[in-house]
Amino acid sequence: MSQRYIPVGAPVLAGKEKEYVLDCLDSSWISSQGKYLDLFEESFAAFCGTRHALACSNGTVALHLALMAFDLSPGDEVIVPALTYVATANAVAYCGATPIFVDSEPLTGNINPALIEALITPRTRGIIAVHLYGHPADMDALAAIAKKHDLFLVEDAAEAHGALYRGRKAGSLSDVATFSFYGNKILTCGEGGMLTTDDDKLAAKIELLKGQGMDLQRRYWFSIVGYNYRLTNVAAAIGLAQLEMAEWHLAQHARIIDGYHELLKSCAGITWQQEQSWAKPAHWMFTFFLKKDDESMRDSIMRELLQDGVETRPVFYPLHTLPPYLPGHGTRPLPVCERLARTGINLPTWSGLTRDDIEYVSHHVTKVLARYDA
Ligand SMILES: *Cc1c(COP(=O)(O)O)cnc(C)c1O
């Protein structure tokens, strides 16, 4: 085992995180009210250019809240990309509804809009777009389909804080967008989430649902079965400090991706996400794909990189191949995302990586690929 160890992701607390958290402790504002929650929400709405931003406990419950705000119910269907983190589909399942999985378009791995209309039935209620690894989905195409069929459109922007689609911010491109602030995301609170929307009615409904259903005017009056999906002021304090450094974090991620592109461009056996002309991605995580379609070779390459102290991740298993979603879905092959999943590797991408780290990773990737003639 190598002496050096480079994790695939890690939080970098380079701003006022400590100062703000200590302020929470000193003032004893540690629960789910306080100035950092207000500031975090206000600043995040400004960051995305939306009327509302509502903090919640994590990115998964942000999705659940968004779907509940549309009264998603058993029997309903929601169009979801197959190549995403499992939470996107789980939120649909929490509502008793059925995710209908769509294959990827090959260049970015994002949901392929051209495949959606054939999957729409009278039960279809909405579409969830995911900005995979920070590259925006083709939102205009998705919005046109949603409008034509009277469907809601949600953005799962958990991996895309600050990404731009045709000059517009991720989080402002749909009816409701959701974000995650998990420890390995571009901005983190440890655990945390946010919803953004321009719709006052949806915002009020989400506020009610996340606060146990307590009437916003009449304390301790519960008009619906709500949830405790609140964020703490302590987590919001960390989130606010991260958000103040958002441009720095995004610049670091861009620097790292540029470094990998430069240092790995002579590796003939790999490709990577192709940045579309209309996109300015947030570059959450650098991902490359082996041209040779051989999953066991991919897994061996990852094991060898770990021996060199380079942690990697496989690309998400497509959700229609996972046990909870296999029945009814597994029989329909989705060849593009299945291939991306078999051949894809995520490399370390987080704000604290130095140029030397990026050279170290790239050197070992090049060396291991050469050994496999890839
Ligand atoms: C991280 C992530 C989530 C879930 O966020 P948590 O904060 O971990 O609950 C949802 N969707 C996508 C695409 C993600 O990457």
Side-chain angles (χ1 to χ4, degrees):
M1 198 68 182
S2 141
Q3 290 294 4
R4 197 155 166 180
Y5 182 74
I6 303 182
V8 81
V12 175
L13 309 175
K16 294 185 173 169
E17 289 84 354
K18 192 171 182 179
E19 180 188 328
Y20 292 170
V21 167
L22 287 176
D23 185 30
C24 294
L25 297 178
D26 290 338
S27 63
S28 80
W29 284 89
I30 58 166
S31 197
S32 52
Q33 289 178 33
K35 74 174 180 196
Y36 291 108
L37 275 165
D38 297 339
L39 285 168
F40 188 32
E41 290 183 334
E42 273 166 37
S43 314
F44 203 76
F47 178 71
C48 292
T50 54
R51 281 174 61 76
H52 303 277
L54 300 118
C56 62
S57 331
N58 57 62
T60 306
V61 306
L63 283 161
H64 190 202
L65 287 165
L67 297 177
M68 286 192 291
F70 292 109
D71 297 315
L72 193 68
S73 312
D76 291 343
E77 294 176 355
V78 180
I79 304 283
V80 174
L83 194 62
T84 175
Y85 183 58
V86 70
T88 315
N90 284 352
V92 176
Y94 298 162
C95 298
T98 306
I100 303 297
F101 296 113
V102 182
D103 205 355
S104 303
E105 53 84 13
L107 297 178
T108 66
N110 274 320
I111 190 167
N112 188 340
L115 303 175
I116 291 177
E117 285 198 275
L119 298 170
I120 291 176
T121 74
R123 293 166 181 262
T124 311
R125 293 283 322 281
I127 302 172
I128 306 179
V130 178
H131 306 312
L132 188 69
Y133 300 125
H135 191 295
D138 189 355
M139 294 306 293
D140 283 351
L142 298 174
I145 296 167
K147 188 160 184 234
K148 181 170 162 199
H149 297 274
D150 193 23
L151 306 175
F152 65 73
L153 180 58
V154 168
E155 272 169 276
D156 179 349
E159 305 175 357
H161 319 66
L164 293 174
Y165 173 78
R166 299 188 193 279
R168 292 178 285 144
K169 273 272 171 74
S172 71
L173 306 166
S174 58
D175 299 314
V176 181
T178 65
F179 290 86
S180 164
F181 302 103
Y182 180 64
N184 69 1
K185 298 290 157 83
I186 294 171
L187 305 175
T188 184
C189 310
E191 291 273 10
M194 192 78 83
L195 298 106
T196 54
T197 182
D198 284 327
D199 186 314
D200 297 347
K201 279 211 186 93
L202 286 173
K205 205 158 169 187
I206 291 163
E207 191 74 55
L208 188 69
L209 282 162
K210 78 167 185 163
Q212 207 76 270
M214 186 161 83
D215 194 288
L216 301 178
Q217 267 74 51
R218 190 174 169 194
R219 287 179 73 219
Y220 300 101
W221 179 258
F222 301 92
S223 50
I224 57 163
V225 177
Y227 296 77
N228 176 0
Y229 279 176
R230 295 181 299 251
L231 188 71
T232 67
N233 199 45
V234 182
I238 299 172
L240 178 67
Q242 290 269 300
L243 184 56
E244 287 171 350
M245 303 271 295
E247 295 313 321
W248 180 80
H249 285 287
L250 286 165
Q252 300 317 304
H253 282 253
R255 166 181 67 81
I256 293 157
I257 298 287
D258 288 347
Y260 285 138
H261 284 173
E262 172 204 335
L263 296 165
L264 296 175
K265 67 172 183 284
S266 56
C267 298
I270 62 170
T271 59
W272 44 71
Q273 253 189 339
Q274 296 298 302
E275 202 167 307
Q276 300 302 292
S277 58
W278 38 260
K280 191 164 183 288
H283 296 309
W284 174 46
M285 212 181 272
F286 179 71
T287 309
F288 72 81
F289 302 94
L290 298 162
K291 286 184 184 163
K292 193 162 170 207
D293 187 1
D294 181 344
E295 189 172 13
S296 70
M297 180 176 98
R298 189 273 308 268
D299 293 345
S300 308
I301 288 171
M302 291 176 57
R303 272 195 300 276
E304 290 202 25
L305 287 170
L306 191 60
Q307 291 294 313
D308 291 325
V310 177
E311 191 196 16
T312 59
R313 287 181 17 168
V315 161
F316 301 122
Y317 291 102
L319 302 186
H320 69 290
T321 67
L322 296 178
Y325 298 112
L326 201 51
H329 288 295
T331 47
R332 195 162 57 82
L334 301 175
V336 177
C337 68
E338 288 171 21
R339 182 178 179 130
L340 293 173
R342 281 193 301 270
T343 59
I345 299 178
N346 300 137
L347 292 183
T349 317
W350 48 283
S351 299
L353 290 178
T354 63
R355 175 72 191 182
D356 192 51
D357 293 329
I358 300 161
E359 285 174 1
Y360 180 87
V361 172
S362 301
H363 169 75
H364 285 279
V365 169
T366 307
K367 191 190 70 184
V368 174
L369 287 176
R371 204 176 299 142
Y372 283 85
D373 208 16

